[in-house]
């Protein structure tokens, strides 16, 4: 379904955040017979719904919103509306057409789009792709989940989008190049379970992409792609259409006889690993995926390797993702507040392998299984400080590990102070909470602000 298909229809836009606002503006320009906006979660934090938005689509709130949704020919839901929402389940039971703004946009722009998703790494990888394309003279527009809603994007010859699992779930057109960086259980409460989450995430690949690029070192992703290919559910997923970055036949990192690690394309060396300023093996994988995408788009990665090396060296890591904070004590404080699952925290911990490490964990308790984190730390010497709400449960899950010291703190500020006392000189204090921020903080940015301020205050 395209935006133009909404002409003459009754349309309800569900959600009044940035995605809902973009949808109302775009749909109104295509002449629907009737357009309304519905917000079942309006509260004091909601942005005003007035001016041109209110003129284009009157706002209905509360329980009355369901009847307006049920009466519509098409419901355009915002990504924040979970698959498990009772209204959404009932709308689908009744056969109401439900889509999203990203799906409407993709129907018109898929052939000019690189779409990137993944349980971890999608923001960094999509940013790298856009940055490197610009460096080699391939102008592009960057947006999606990381910033500008798709329906607000300007016209361009090439788009690079970061796409969440929520945005992927309603797509009926795959982008020209469909990219998956990693796969592990995440957002299960919003999708209804692990299988449902994987289904929604991998829907990005379901509708005939020209090329699929995946992180070939991710075992769960490899297993899911193998199952999909065997069942024939997701189109062409064989070796001819799927590039598995990180393997020797494509972009990968290899160590030479002198012990220096280099990025390669097949047998061709490109530039040293040291050029990439981002820490962690997972970020090596992110760059391998980005370079494989450029190769798939026809960029001569080998011929342009010097230009690419300069661009990689200039790349600025994204905020809230292993962001290091300078400290006069000699300790390295690291903000990785967007690590909201045990798997993401495991990647962050690995990034500082070989250094004394204190990790602060805990946040909104979604009932996640922290057994994988326990198994990951079984042979590791590390200090873990738990903060509310889930911190005590994470610490309990680590009980009995011989080299893991565990402590509890009443809040994030207290945890930073305790970490200063417990972490040896030259060590790392890592906020990688393995849980979301909401409940104790307004959002993840607020958690980062509190962490940075605590680092500054305790340094005095």
């Amino acid at each position: 379904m395209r935006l133009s298909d909404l002409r003459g229809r009754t349309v309800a836009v569900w959600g009044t955040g940035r995605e809902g606002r973009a949808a109302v503006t775009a749909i109104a320009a295509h002449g629907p017979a009737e357009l309304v906006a519905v917000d079942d979660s309006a509260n004091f934090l909601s942005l005003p719904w007035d001016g041109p938005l209110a003129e284009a689509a009157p706002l209905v709130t509360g329980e009355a919103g369901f009847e307006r949704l049920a009466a519509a020919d098409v419901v355009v839901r915002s990504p924040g509306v979970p698959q498990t929402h009772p209204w959404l389940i009932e709308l689908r039971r009744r056969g109401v057409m439900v889509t999203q703004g990203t799906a409407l946009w993709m129907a018109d722009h898929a052939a000019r789009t690189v779409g990137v998703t993944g349980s971890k790494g999608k923001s960094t990888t999509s940013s790298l792709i856009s940055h490197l394309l610009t460096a080699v003279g391939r102008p592009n527009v960057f947006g999606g989940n990381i910033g500008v809603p798709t329906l607000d994007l300007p016209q361009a010859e090439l788009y690079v989008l970061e796409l969440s699992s929520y945005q992927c779930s309603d797509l009926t057109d795959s982008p020209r190049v469909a990219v998956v960086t990693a796969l592990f259980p995440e957002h299960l409460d919003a999708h209804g379970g692990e299988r449902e989450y994987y289904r929604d995430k991998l829907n990005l690949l379901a509708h005939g992409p020209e090329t699929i690029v995946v992180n070939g070192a991710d075992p769960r992703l490899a297993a899911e792609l193998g199952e999909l290919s065997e069942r024939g559910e997701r189109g062409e997923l064989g070796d001819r259409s799927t590039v598995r970055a990180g393997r020797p036949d494509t972009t990968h990192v290899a160590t030479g006889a002198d012990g220096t690690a280099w990025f390669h394309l097949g047998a061709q060396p490109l530039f040293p690993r040291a050029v990439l300023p981002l820490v962690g093996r997972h970020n090596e994988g992110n760059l391998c995926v980005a370079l494989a995408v450029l190769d798939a788009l026809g960029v001569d990665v080998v011929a342009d390797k010097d230009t690419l090396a300069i661009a990689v060296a200039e790349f600025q890591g994204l905020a809230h993702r292993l962001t290091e904070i300078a400290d006069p004590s000699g300790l390295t404080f690291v903000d990785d507040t967007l690590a909201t699952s045990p798997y993401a925290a495991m990647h962050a911990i690995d990034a500082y392998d070989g250094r004394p490490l204190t990790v602060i964990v805990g946040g909104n308790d979604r009932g996640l299984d922290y057994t994988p984190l326990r198994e990951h730390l079984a042979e590791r010497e590390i200090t873990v400080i738990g903060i509310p709400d889930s911190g005590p449960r994470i610490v309990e899950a680590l009980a009995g590990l011989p080299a893991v010291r565990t402590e509890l703190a009443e809040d994030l500020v207290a945890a930073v102070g305790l970490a200063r006392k417990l972490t040896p000189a030259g060590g790392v204090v890592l906020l990688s909470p393995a849980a979301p921020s909401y409940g104790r903080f307004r959002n993840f940015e607020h958690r980062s602000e509190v962490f940075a301020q605590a680092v500054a205050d305790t340094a005095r």
Side-chain angles (χ1 to χ4, degrees):
M1 174 171 285
R2 291 175 161 80
L3 278 168
S4 58
D5 295 328
L6 301 180
R7 183 177 301 277
R9 297 194 181 195
T10 299
V11 182
V13 172
W14 186 1
T16 58
R18 62 188 182 97
E19 292 276 353
R21 290 165 178 263
V24 164
T25 301
I27 294 167
H30 285 78
E34 182 182 1
L35 180 61
V36 298
V38 173
D39 190 348
D40 65 304
S41 60
N43 55 41
F44 70 96
L45 293 174
S46 300
L47 296 172
W49 191 264
D50 50 22
L53 285 170
E55 294 175 11
L59 177 62
V60 181
T61 60
E63 292 296 324
F66 177 74
E67 295 305 320
R68 299 307 296 268
L69 294 172
D73 297 324
V74 180
V75 171
V76 180
R77 69 175 178 123
S78 294
V81 177
Q83 296 278 21
T84 53
H85 195 297
W87 288 8
L88 184 57
I89 293 170
E90 177 60 17
L91 290 172
R92 287 181 165 152
R93 188 191 70 80
R94 296 187 185 191
V96 177
M97 169 63 116
V98 179
T99 186
Q100 283 189 58
T102 298
L104 294 169
W105 182 91
M106 193 71 76
D108 287 318
H109 300 88
R112 291 177 282 158
T113 301
V114 176
V116 183
T117 196
S119 303
K120 183 174 179 60
K122 59 184 179 293
S123 299
T124 297
T125 302
S126 56
S127 299
L128 273 167
I129 292 167
S130 178
H131 176 70
L132 297 181
L133 284 169
T134 300
V136 296
R138 296 286 297 273
N140 62 91
V141 167
F142 183 43
N145 185 60
I146 198 170
V148 181
T150 52
L151 288 174
D152 278 344
L153 293 174
Q155 287 297 316
E157 291 301 312
L158 182 62
Y159 298 91
V160 179
L161 302 183
E162 182 208 320
L163 299 171
S164 69
S165 53
Y166 312 122
Q167 291 170 311
C168 291
S169 62
D170 286 332
L171 293 178
T172 54
D173 299 87
S174 291
R176 174 184 171 186
V177 181
V179 183
V180 187
T181 59
L183 201 62
F184 52 74
E186 182 68 293
H187 307 303
L188 303 189
D189 51 342
H191 290 272
E194 185 171 349
R195 300 310 313 165
E196 291 79 6
Y197 169 68
Y198 295 158
R199 174 202 66 201
D200 290 345
K201 198 75 157 168
L202 296 180
N203 189 49
L204 181 72
L205 315 179
H207 309 286
E210 181 178 299
T211 304
I212 296 167
V213 179
V214 300
N215 175 6
D218 187 298
R220 185 173 286 102
L221 179 53
E224 290 296 319
L225 291 179
E227 289 184 17
L228 293 172
S229 185
E230 287 177 11
R231 293 199 299 265
E233 293 179 0
R234 303 278 173 168
E236 180 71 30
L237 291 178
D239 290 335
R240 288 183 298 175
S241 64
T242 303
V243 178
R244 291 173 168 81
R247 295 189 177 183
D249 60 332
T250 178
T251 49
H252 67 283
V253 177
T255 302
D258 63 352
T260 302
W262 280 64
F263 285 94
H264 289 71
L265 175 58
Q268 295 291 324
L270 299 175
F271 43 80
R273 163 62 177 91
V275 167
L276 177 64
L278 307 184
V279 299
R281 293 288 298 276
H282 64 290
N283 278 319
E284 293 177 11
N286 291 337
L287 181 52
C288 286
V289 170
L291 292 169
V293 169
L294 264 66
D295 185 51
L297 289 172
V299 174
D300 192 334
V301 173
V302 175
D304 289 333
K305 62 183 180 181
D306 292 340
T307 299
L308 291 169
I310 294 170
V312 167
E314 294 174 344
F315 182 74
Q316 299 295 312
L318 303 180
H320 319 295
R321 300 163 178 85
L322 294 180
T323 302
E324 297 188 355
I325 301 172
D327 188 77
S329 69
L331 296 176
T332 301
F333 287 83
V334 183
D335 173 15
D336 195 41
T337 191
L338 282 174
T340 57
S341 78
Y343 299 92
M346 286 151 53
H347 283 297
I349 289 167
D350 286 348
Y352 292 94
D353 190 27
R355 295 182 64 181
L357 181 61
T358 299
V359 184
I360 301 172
V361 299
N364 181 261
D365 195 341
R366 296 178 294 171
L368 295 178
D369 178 12
Y370 287 97
T371 303
L373 181 61
R374 176 185 175 86
E375 294 172 348
H376 194 71
L377 298 181
E379 305 297 328
R380 184 144 191 161
E381 186 174 346
I382 191 172
T383 298
V384 178
I385 300 175
I387 61 174
D389 294 319
S390 61
R393 194 165 67 82
I394 299 173
V395 164
E396 183 180 355
L398 302 178
L401 293 179
V404 176
R405 175 177 181 173
T406 57
E407 301 283 348
L408 292 175
E410 62 182 3
D411 57 25
L412 180 54
V413 174
V416 170
L418 181 58
R420 278 197 183 276
K421 297 176 183 177
L422 299 179
T423 309
V428 176
V429 178
L430 170 65
L431 171 63
S432 194
S437 58
Y438 45 82
R440 298 274 171 169
F441 303 93
R442 292 189 302 273
N443 47 39
F444 69 85
E445 291 98 341
H446 183 211
R447 182 160 63 183
S448 286
E449 292 169 7
V450 171
F451 179 65
Q453 189 61 53
V455 171
D457 290 345
T458 57
R460 296 169 186 167

